Every structure is written in structure tokens, then in C-alpha cells.
């Protein structure tokens, strides 16, 4: 008859010596404990970590222990799900034998794989960004190849924009023509124009300044004297004055 209690106590002692810094007893009845598992350091010293909680069933190791993810660090939800599936598979394969060390070792390897996957994923993302940047640069220098289809689409759009500009300009010119007033309309709408010149002279009074230099050379001008005109008739001038 198997002494399950003895086998469980022996395994607990062995686990405590193997994982002195990460093994923690939670309860003695039923025996329950945690073991923290950390991956090897990846790129940039990045690690992932999980704390596994185990509880012995009454007939362990002929029955699988109870297990769960007690805590985790830097793991995605799908990573946690994969770890739980791995524990279930390993527990089924190792029924009848003490298995905690085997389960923990399997999880350790899985965490190392996850770190490698993170590194690979980041490298792929970096390559993808570099490829996108390269494609963008090619588009910048080479442009879009011209085809009949995209040329016709461009021309239709260009013609539509040009027509809209012409319509807008015609509308502005038409509106400007409507708003332009004749001289008569200006006087009719603004009566101040009727008296503006008179008001200017009144405001100036005796302060109107004349630039005498404009008349200094008047004597040099050759002005025709009416008396020098052979056809000049003083009688005609008197007649004009009487009229």
C-alpha cells in the first residue's frame, strides 16, 4: 500500500533544497506551496516570470496535484493559457510519480521560449518598419506610376476644380460690377461731395500757401499778345463783352 503522505513529505524537502529562494509553503494540511519561475534574461535583460501554486491531492502522486498561476510578470494572456495547458499535459504524462520538479522544469523552458519569441517578434516589427520606411521613400522619389485610368481621374478632378475657380471669379466680377457707382450715383448717395471743395476753401481761410517758385519764370514764357495778331480786331472783343 502506497504511503502518499511519506512521498509528499520527501518531495517537499527535495523542492525546498532545489528552490531555496523561490519555494514558499502556504499550508501544511493540505500541503500547499508556491514556486516562482523566472526565464533566462533576454535581449535588454528582459525576463518573464510566473509563480506557480501547487496543492497536493489526497492520493498524489497517483492523482495530479492542483495547480494555478499565482502571479505573473510580462506575460500575455495567451502565454498564461499556454502554460496551463502545458501543466495539464505534463501532469497526465507523469501520473504515479512525484512530478513537481518535472512540471516546474517544463514551465522554465516555456518561459525561455517566450523570451525568444519576444525577441523574434521585435526583430520582425523592426524589419517591417524599415521596409515600410523604404517603401515610403521610394514613393517619395519615384511617385505613382501614371496609367490611363489614374490620369483620367486626375484630369477630371483638375477640370472640375478649374471650372469651380472660373465660376467663382465670374461671380466676383459680376458682383463688383453691380457694386460700382457712377459719378452721379456717388453724388446722389453722398451729398457731402457737393460742398467738399467749398468747405476746403473755407477751412483754409487766409492760410493757403502758394509756392511762388512756380511763377518765377513766367516772364520767360512766350505768350502771344493779341495786339501782335494781324487778325486781331478790338471791336470783336467789345462785341464779345457786350454779349
Amino acid at each position: 500500500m502506497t504511503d502518499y503522505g511519506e512521498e509528499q513529505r520527501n518531495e517537499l524537502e527535495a523542492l525546498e533544497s532545489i528552490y531555496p529562494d523561490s519555494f514558499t509553503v502556504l499550508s501544511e494540511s493540505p500541503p500547499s506551496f508556491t514556486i516562482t519561475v523566472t526565464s533566462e534574461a533576454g535581449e535588454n535583460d528582459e525576463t518573464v516570470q510566473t509563480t506557480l501554486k501547487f496543492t497536493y491531492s489526497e492520493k498524489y502522486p497517483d492523482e495530479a496535484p492542483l495547480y494555478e498561476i499565482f502571479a505573473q510578470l510580462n506575460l500575455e494572456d495567451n502565454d498564461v493559457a499556454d502554460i496551463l495547458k502545458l501543466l495539464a499535459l505534463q501532469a497526465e504524462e507523469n501520473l504515479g510519480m512525484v512530478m513537481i520538479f518535472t512540471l516546474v522544469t517544463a514551465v522554465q523552458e516555456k518561459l525561455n521560449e517566450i523570451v525568444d519569441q519576444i525577441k523574434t517578434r521585435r526583430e520582425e516589427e523592426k524589419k517591417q518598419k524599415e521596409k515600410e520606411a523604404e517603401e515610403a521613400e521610394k514613393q517619395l522619389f519615384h511617385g505613382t506610376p501614371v496609367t490611363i485610368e489614374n490620369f483620367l481621374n486626375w484630369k477630371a478632378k483638375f477640370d472640375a476644380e478649374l471650372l469651380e475657380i472660373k465660376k467663382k471669379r465670374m461671380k466676383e466680377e459680376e458682383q463688383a460690377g453691380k457694386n460700382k457707382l457712377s459719378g452721379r450715383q456717388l453724388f446722389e448717395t453722398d451729398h457731402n461731395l457737393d460742398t467738399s471743395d467749398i468747405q476746403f476753401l473755407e477751412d483754409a481761410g487766409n492760410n493757403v500757401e502758394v509756392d511762388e517758385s512756380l511763377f518765377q519764370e513766367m516772364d520767360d514764357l512766350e505768350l502771344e499778345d493779341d495786339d501782335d495778331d494781324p487778325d486781331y480786331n478790338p471791336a470783336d472783343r467789345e462785341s464779345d463783352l457786350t454779349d
Side-chain angles (χ1 to χ4, degrees), residues 52-100:
L52 305 173
K53 177 183 177 181
F54 297 99
T55 302
Y56 286 149
S57 59
E58 184 178 350
K59 294 183 179 181
Y60 173 82
D62 288 339
E63 293 178 350
L66 301 177
Y67 51 83
E68 62 180 280
I69 303 295
F70 193 72
Q72 59 89 11
L73 177 66
N74 296 331
L75 290 174
E76 302 290 341
D77 291 342
N78 60 312
D79 294 329
V80 172
D82 289 343
I83 292 172
L84 292 174
K85 290 178 182 178
L86 177 63
L87 289 170
L89 178 62
Q90 291 293 321
E92 184 178 355
E93 291 180 353
N94 290 276
L95 283 177
M97 298 180 291
V98 289
M99 65 181 75
I100 301 301

Side-chain angles (χ1 to χ4, degrees), residues 19 22 35-43 45-52 54 69-84 86-87 102-121:
Y19 307 107
S22 60
I35 297 177
T36 299
V37 188
T38 305
S39 70
E40 296 177 357
E43 191 176 37
D45 295 328
E46 189 173 54
T47 59
V48 293
Q49 186 180 89
T50 183
T51 298
L52 305 173
F54 297 99
I69 303 295
F70 193 72
Q72 59 89 11
L73 177 66
N74 296 331
L75 290 174
E76 302 290 341
D77 291 342
N78 60 312
D79 294 329
V80 172
D82 289 343
I83 292 172
L84 292 174
L86 177 63
L87 289 170
T102 302
L103 299 183
V104 172
T105 301
V107 172
Q108 175 79 62
E109 293 175 354
K110 181 64 178 178
L111 295 183
N112 292 339
E113 290 178 8
I114 292 173
V115 170
D116 290 340
Q117 290 171 2
I118 292 174
K119 178 182 178 181
T120 301
R121 184 165 61 244

Side-chain angles (χ1 to χ4, degrees), residues 149-165:
E149 182 179 1
N150 60 28
F151 173 77
L152 293 177
N153 290 335
W154 170 84
K155 189 176 185 304
K157 183 178 179 181
F158 175 80
D159 291 343
E161 292 177 351
L162 186 61
L163 180 61
E164 189 65 26
I165 293 174

Side-chain angles (χ1 to χ4, degrees), residues 170-218:
M170 291 176 62
K171 186 175 181 180
E172 291 175 351
E173 291 177 353
E174 181 181 353
Q175 188 66 32
K178 290 180 179 179
N179 295 335
K180 187 175 181 181
L181 299 178
S182 64
R184 180 175 180 178
Q185 288 173 322
L186 288 172
F187 277 100
E188 289 177 349
T189 56
D190 188 355
H191 295 291
N192 292 329
L193 296 176
D194 299 344
T195 59
S196 59
D197 292 343
I198 297 173
Q199 186 65 40
F200 169 75
L201 294 175
E202 290 179 352
D203 294 341
N206 295 326
N207 296 324
V208 177
E209 296 183 0
V210 177
D211 189 352
E212 296 180 359
S213 65
L214 298 175
F215 303 96
Q216 289 178 356
E217 299 183 3
M218 289 289 292

Side-chain angles (χ1 to χ4, degrees), residues 232-243:
Y232 172 70
N233 188 347
D236 293 338
R237 180 177 180 85
E238 292 178 359
S239 176
D240 292 337
L241 292 174
T242 57
D243 291 343

